[in-house]
Amino acid sequence: MTDAPIPVPASFKDARITPERYAELYQRSIADPDGFWCEELKRVDWIRAPSQISDVSFDRDDLHIRWFEDGVLNVAWNCIDRHLPARASKPALIWEGDHPSRHHAITYAQLYDHVCRFSNVLKGLGVRKGDRVTLYMPMIPEAAYAMLACARIGAVHSVVFGGFSPEALAGRIRDCESAFVITADEGVRGGKPVPLKANVDAALELAPGVKAVLSVRHTGADVGWVEGRDHWLHERLLDADAHCAPEPMNAEDPLFILYTSGSTGKPKGVLHTTGGYLVWAAMTHAYTFDHREDDVFWCTADVGWVTGHSYIVYGPLANGATSLMFEGVPTWPGPDRIWEVVAKHKVTVLYTAPTAIRALMRFGDEPVRAHDRSSLRLLGSVGEPINPEAWRWYHQVCGEGRCPVVDTWWQTETGGHLITPLPGAHALKPGSASFPMFGVRPALVDNEGNRLPETGAQEGNLVLLGSWPGQMRTVYGDHQRFIDTYFSTYPGMYFTGDGARRDADGYWWITGRVDDVLNISGHRLGTAEIESALVAHEAVSEAAVVGYPHDIKGQGIYCYVTLAAGREPDAALEKALKDQVRKEIGPVASPDAIQFAPGLPKTRSGKIMRRILRKIAEGETGALGDTSTLADPGVVDSLIAGRKG
Ligand code: WT7
């Protein structure tokens, strides 16, 4: 923190965005947004160019967010067709399978062919414009084809991460009334199969509204089959036409739904629309990564998360880039896998998560140094705050001190980067997300909602003062929840749920969630969801879940459980409760620690004091603060005594 910032390296002196250009464009984006966006919207090909830029109100009684409202376009056209004249034989995707022997490139011409045929298969199954289609897919090219095929015909995809359970999948299918599911027989990760089709079959017992399931034959495993409902993609492709005209879509027509966890209730269906999202994904991909025509861009996320949507599929492909899609895990077959892939495909930009960096760091420098990394010119980080130690290792060892690290802060809700360094514009401070993207106005408020001064070092709750094109438009099917969640804590502003500080030089540092949302290995989970999974077990009377620092995952899941009268804690019950959470939510939510507690710390009005539970889980038992308002201060001592180390 006290170290001098790391200056822009000579290799980025001719970047598109220099320090002067950043200052000029940022200033323009705020002072003259219409002028700024009139230029930026040209990144995208419009069937009809918009005549209006934005119509936005963050007033909770009149909340609406519209960008480029009368524009007409098609996302798949922008990601494929328009590149054909100049880039037909350029790889659009490079697929690297779980096993290192399996990899191939898909050119833009081939992508056109795959997506058109896939679109016609969907139409043949009865998918129409506006229909919701749920994807539960491994990281194979068909996942991208399926997303783009939906976009091509105007269907709305909802991708559900393969690490979610059948119950969780069923909830998401039901919530958006999706009648179509696309999956594969199995996925493979780290040499182990993931039973995707079997999970879909189990989910559909709980979501009977699904009319058709389309499966990719990937591993060739035997799977269950329901005649009339289930279809193989390869069979349906046999007579699928090779051309499919892209559907003209209004800028504000929905493009996709992506479920994400909040501090209360079930996951929310974050809705993104067509024009603003695409402009934002393309613009941020171009600026943050200083995109060059010959880049090989590798974002290691899964398409089940927003990072995969914006920076594997939509942003890179809209820019005509080569995007690498990886099916496996960073540590299989060995801890050098990432670097082997970098060398094999001559990756120029690597975008990964702090949790992966920390996991690799444990294996030391040798696996990194074993491979040629001279192709790399830029590194990115996303998903959670990156600790300076991991940042420095990433920068020094992985990037040989040559490659800037862009620490990109954003959310499912924001569609793309909101605060990030630009590699040619900003000297870097390890651990800082640095400066706002063009058009973004971050600010800090105290807990009462008072704005903190705009100069000097400040720390508080992070809000955004205005809209940007990639902002989510609503919670699918529940607009009131959208308003309540984001625009009611601090009226007139979008509340991010994060805390942040701005240092004396104006750099932004994200300090982490200030609400009851956990970030486990960059995966977002709500404490309320995990608590309700636990109390659904007959032995449990009450549960409280908090996060605690975890060396690799960033945060771990710590559960306090009070048992029903007559139930005794034992190892079997502890395992049963972990299984219960895996069943209700999925392996992504496996608890790290379960502490059986005779009672939870509550105020006299019955409110659980989570602050105290967090401190105990963190092991900071000497700093519990004021416990005098507790109904029974005695519970604290027994909680400390029972702490799981
Ligand atoms: C939350 C959003 C961003 C796409 C993947 C996660 C945390 C994300 C950073 C960062 C510090 C970060 C925030 C945010 N987060 N990126 N660079 N530095 N924190 O999207 O699942 O919607 O989670 O991830 O807490 O609110 P998400």
Side-chain angles (χ1 to χ4, degrees):
M1 238 195 300
T2 48
D3 297 354
I6 297 160
V8 172
S11 53
F12 278 86
K13 287 285 194 272
D14 65 346
R16 242 193 243 101
I17 306 297
T18 57
E20 301 71 35
R21 187 81 182 126
Y22 173 80
E24 181 191 319
L25 271 186
Y26 184 74
Q27 167 62 23
R28 178 160 192 227
S29 73
I30 302 304
D32 173 22
D34 283 9
F36 177 83
W37 291 110
C38 250
E39 285 305 310
E40 287 294 337
L41 64 81
K42 294 178 188 155
R43 291 180 181 278
V44 162
D45 280 2
W46 299 84
I47 298 168
R48 190 172 79 219
S51 67
Q52 296 136 271
I53 297 299
S54 67
D55 176 9
V56 172
S57 162
F58 280 5
D59 176 348
R60 66 204 227 194
D61 296 320
D62 176 33
L63 192 109
H64 60 271
I65 301 164
R66 297 182 203 113
W67 284 84
F68 315 130
E69 201 184 342
D70 60 349
V72 177
L73 74 165
N74 181 279
V75 167
W77 164 277
N78 274 283
C79 290
I80 310 168
D81 307 38
R82 66 162 170 163
H83 304 310
L84 293 178
R87 302 188 179 104
S89 56
K90 174 177 178 173
L93 296 171
I94 294 174
W95 181 70
E96 168 79 13
D98 185 58
H99 194 278
S101 68
R102 300 196 60 196
H103 53 91
H104 65 271
I106 297 108
T107 66
Y108 274 96
Q110 290 166 332
L111 184 64
Y112 173 85
D113 186 71
H114 286 298
V115 171
C116 283
R117 289 178 198 272
F118 208 119
S119 302
N120 287 323
V121 168
L122 294 182
K123 283 185 172 178
L125 291 174
V127 180
R128 298 287 171 261
K129 181 173 179 172
D131 286 349
R132 277 80 56 219
V133 178
T134 298
L135 274 59
Y136 187 66
M137 303 276 282
M139 285 289 287
I140 55 179
E142 286 82 356
Y145 306 161
M147 292 165 74
L148 290 162
C150 287
R152 195 166 187 90
I153 68 173
V156 181
H157 59 69
S158 163
V159 186
V160 178
F161 176 57
F164 284 114
S165 68
E167 273 79 355
L169 173 61
R172 286 155 171 80
I173 292 171
R174 282 199 309 261
D175 184 79
C176 68
E177 298 173 303
S178 168
F180 305 94
V181 176
I182 307 176
T183 189
D185 48 6
E186 289 181 330
V188 211
R189 280 166 57 82
K192 295 193 204 81
V194 184
L196 295 174
K197 174 65 165 65
N199 284 354
V200 168
D201 291 342
L204 297 197
E205 301 274 321
L206 307 167
V210 171
K211 291 192 287 212
V213 176
L214 184 64
S215 292
V216 179
R217 192 159 70 190
H218 180 47
T219 65
D222 273 341
V223 291
W225 210 251
V226 176
E227 271 326 311
R229 184 197 75 182
D230 292 354
H231 309 269
W232 284 116
L233 176 69
H234 60 274
E235 287 175 3
R236 305 289 298 195
L237 280 171
L238 290 176
D239 53 5
D241 203 89
H243 298 282
C244 172
E247 186 71 28
M249 303 296 287
N250 274 100
E252 286 297 343
D253 281 339
L255 176 64
F256 67 83
I257 298 165
L258 190 54
Y259 285 86
T260 195
S261 297
S263 47
T264 56
K266 310 177 292 169
K268 299 181 281 282
V270 167
L271 184 92
H272 282 287
T273 57
T274 301
Y277 172 81
L278 191 67
V279 169
W280 193 252
M283 180 187 104
T284 52
H285 172 259
Y287 284 143
T288 304
F289 303 112
D290 187 42
H291 175 61
R292 317 275 172 107
E293 186 62 40
D294 50 5
D295 271 335
V296 175
F297 181 81
W298 183 15
C299 165
T300 67
D302 189 285
V303 290
W305 309 108
V306 72
T307 311
H309 284 57
S310 300
Y311 301 109
I312 294 175
V313 180
Y314 292 118
L317 298 182
N319 289 332
T322 296
S323 178
L324 193 145
M325 177 187 247
F326 176 43
E327 183 183 23
V329 297
T331 47
W332 191 86
D336 61 340
R337 183 68 190 278
I338 295 244
W339 317 109
E340 183 206 331
V341 175
V342 165
K344 189 185 337 183
H345 299 294
K346 305 223 170 352
V347 171
T348 60
V349 181
L350 174 67
Y351 188 34
T352 193
T355 186
I357 298 166
R358 288 190 300 265
L360 296 176
M361 229 171 123
R362 284 203 309 187
F363 296 98
D365 302 358
E366 201 37 52
V368 188
R369 298 201 198 277
H371 298 275
D372 176 21
R373 281 153 294 123
S374 58
S375 59
L376 284 175
R377 62 181 194 88
L378 179 60
L379 301 171
S381 172
V382 58
E384 51 175 314
I386 180 166
N387 46 311
E389 191 196 359
W391 194 103
R392 288 202 178 84
W393 185 77
Y394 194 35
H395 181 255
Q396 282 306 321
V397 179
C398 308
E400 304 174 322
R402 293 179 289 112
C403 309
V405 174
V406 289
D407 173 7
T408 60
W409 173 81
W410 57 297
Q411 311 179 299
T412 305
E413 293 89 337
T414 73
H417 307 151
L418 291 199
I419 305 183
T420 177
L422 302 183
H426 301 125
L428 302 172
K429 296 193 185 190
S432 169
S434 303
F435 290 97
M437 180 54 72
F438 305 123
V440 173
R441 289 157 60 205
L444 295 171
V445 296
D446 65 18
N447 289 339
E448 283 68 54
N450 304 306
R451 290 273 304 279
L452 301 179
E454 290 197 32
T455 52
Q458 300 289 342
E459 179 160 356
N461 301 305
L462 179 61
V463 296
L464 297 159
L465 300 181
S467 185
W468 61 96
Q471 185 172 21
M472 73 182 282
R473 300 298 195 260
T474 191
V475 170
Y476 187 83
D478 196 349
H479 196 60
Q480 192 57 45
R481 191 168 175 204
F482 179 53
I483 300 168
D484 294 344
T485 307
Y486 303 102
F487 301 95
S488 300
T489 319
Y490 305 116
M493 304 174 227
Y494 169 89
F495 178 42
T496 62
D498 280 316
R501 70 191 171 82
R502 201 188 52 237
D503 71 18
D505 300 328
Y507 281 71
W508 289 87
W509 302 74
I510 310 300
T511 51
R513 300 291 304 200
V514 293
D515 54 8
D516 293 316
V517 169
L518 305 180
N519 193 324
I520 313 297
S521 299
H523 299 161
R524 184 165 153 182
L525 295 164
T527 53
E529 277 171 87
I530 304 171
E531 288 162 5
S532 75
L534 288 166
V535 296
H537 192 282
E538 38 86 26
V540 175
S541 90
E542 202 169 31
V545 172
V546 298
Y548 72 111
H550 187 286
D551 283 349
I552 303 292
K553 299 186 190 185
Q555 271 190 312
I557 302 176
Y558 197 106
C559 310
Y560 296 90
V561 171
T562 305
L563 294 178
R567 299 297 301 243
E568 289 301 321
D570 58 25
L573 185 55
E574 183 172 332
K575 176 166 185 312
L577 294 183
K578 288 186 179 176
D579 288 345
Q580 166 84 10
V581 176
R582 291 171 68 96
K583 176 174 163 294
E584 298 264 336
I585 305 174
V588 286
S590 295
D592 294 284
I594 292 185
Q595 176 175 349
F596 293 105
L600 297 175
K602 291 184 186 166
T603 60
R604 281 177 212 105
S605 61
K607 195 169 167 316
I608 294 177
M609 292 188 75
R610 294 173 164 281
R611 175 177 59 80
I612 292 176
L613 293 175
R614 259 183 237 121
K615 290 277 184 214
I616 295 173
E618 286 164 8
E620 290 191 27
T621 47
L624 291 181
D626 184 10
T627 54
S628 64
T629 55
L630 285 175
D632 173 12
V635 294
V636 170
D637 293 330
S638 77
L639 286 172
I640 293 174
R643 182 173 172 270
K644 303 284 264 203

